[in-house]
Amino acid sequence: MERRRSARTLESLSTALGLHPQHLEAVLHGRTPPSPSEPVTQRETNVMSRLDGLEGALTTSPTVSTT
């Protein structure tokens, strides 16, 4: 079973190791890590797209009765 890693945990570890904050997340997902001098990309866009996806899933799922 593969463990899920929190982006915040990976960011904290990367920073503690003196790497770019998104270094370990890039490695985890098979991407080339950014150099330490590159600016940090905003995760707000990612969060908004995830919220949009969640909202879409909720509107297409059947209504659950609480009674």
Side-chain angles (χ1 to χ4, degrees), residues 27-63:
V27 170
L28 176 66
H29 296 291
R31 298 187 305 260
T32 302
S35 69
S37 61
E38 285 186 47
V40 177
T41 38
Q42 297 297 319
R43 279 193 265 163
E44 296 161 6
T45 305
N46 186 25
V47 170
M48 292 307 293
S49 66
R50 293 181 70 188
L51 286 174
D52 287 342
L54 181 59
E55 182 180 35
L58 289 174
T59 58
T60 59
S61 66
T63 305

Side-chain angles (χ1 to χ4, degrees), residues 10-11 14 19-28 31-36:
L10 294 174
E11 187 173 312
S14 295
L19 304 169
H20 186 278
Q22 294 167 335
H23 184 95
L24 291 176
E25 184 176 16
V27 170
L28 176 66
R31 298 187 305 260
T32 302
S35 69

